[in-house]
Every structure is written in structure tokens, then in C-alpha cells.
Amino acid sequence: MIFLVDHNLEGHALLLSGSITNQGWQDLFSIRFVLLEEMSLSVNSSDRVVWRFAQTNQMLLLTANRRMKGKDSLEQVLQEENTPTSFPVITIGDADRVLNDPDYRDLCVNRLLEIVLYIENYIGTRRIFIP
């Protein structure tokens, strides 16, 4: 499973990936975190463009603070374009804690692993807040 990482979570994704690898989960799950820039997306891309890209490429969008207002806000996009076959958006509830609290980071990792393992149960869900 590929997670498309929002531009403000690059360091967070590195820590989450490291935890997944250190705990040995990478041997059981094919999980990759990719940055917007790696996918030739600008950090200034609208939420609509990023969400559509993630959907087209069957990626889980990992975010913390995509806008909630406006015609291209993530919430508006989800209301207008989410379908029963859409991949969910994964939203970290407290991004700062991922950086500073190893226990919270582990809770996030566990939740990400659960989502990947049971992805069919989450398809069509607009947004999942973790941990």
C-alpha cells in the first residue's frame, strides 16, 4: 500500500516508516510513503488535485491539516466526489505527538497497519482519523 504524504508531514512519515521497519512489519506488509514532489505534485496543489491523484493511483492520502473550507477544500471534495470505491483519507489527529511521543507514534503505526490489513473494510470511507 502506498501512502501519499501531505507536504507538512514529511518528517512524520519518515518516523512512521522507521517504526514500521524497526518493528519488522515491513517484512509482512508492503508499505511505502511517497512525497508530493516525488509524484510531481506541487506543495501548492489544491486538495482536489491531490485527492484525485491519490484516487487515480489507489493511494491512501496521509494528512493532518487539509483545509476544511472552500470549493476545493478536502472536505468539499470528499462530499462531492467520494464514491463507494474511493480510498479513504488518513488524518493524523495530533501531528506534533507523532514527532515527540513514541507511544502515540506506535498507536498511529498500529492503526495504519490495521487499515492496510483490512483495506477492503475502509474503501468508500471518506476520512479516518488516527490513532
Side-chain angles (χ1 to χ4, degrees):
M1 181 64 56
I2 299 174
F3 288 88
L4 179 60
V5 179
D6 207 352
H7 69 92
N8 62 328
L9 292 179
E10 294 173 3
H12 303 72
L14 187 61
L15 288 171
L16 292 168
S17 179
S19 291
I20 289 168
T21 300
N22 290 339
Q23 294 174 21
W25 293 114
Q26 197 63 40
D27 297 335
L28 300 172
F29 296 97
S30 177
I31 296 175
R32 217 171 98 217
F33 294 90
V34 296
L35 307 179
L36 296 177
E37 295 83 6
E38 291 177 75
M39 300 292 107
S40 300
L41 290 167
S42 166
V43 296
N44 296 321
S45 296
S46 73
D47 293 353
R48 190 173 303 274
V49 167
V50 172
W51 185 84
R52 284 180 176 170
F53 183 88
Q55 294 306 308
T56 299
N57 294 284
Q58 298 185 325
M59 298 173 165
L60 295 168
L61 175 58
L62 181 65
T63 187
N65 68 352
R66 281 277 160 178
R67 295 166 298 184
M68 300 293 278
K69 295 181 182 178
K71 67 180 180 82
D72 284 329
S73 71
L74 185 56
E75 194 58 36
Q76 188 66 37
V77 172
L78 292 173
Q79 288 177 19
E80 292 174 3
E81 298 193 28
N82 199 70
T83 70
T85 59
S86 295
F87 278 74
V89 172
I90 312 301
T91 303
I92 297 175
D94 188 340
D96 290 337
R97 284 185 69 189
V98 171
L99 297 175
N100 302 311
D101 183 346
D103 293 331
Y104 185 83
R105 186 180 318 124
D106 285 343
L107 290 172
C108 289
V109 164
N110 291 341
R111 191 72 170 105
L112 292 175
L113 293 170
E114 176 188 330
I115 293 165
V116 169
L117 182 61
Y118 298 107
I119 189 62
E120 66 278 355
N121 295 335
Y122 297 103
I123 297 294
T125 303
R126 291 182 187 177
R127 190 189 292 257
I128 302 168
F129 288 89
I130 65 170

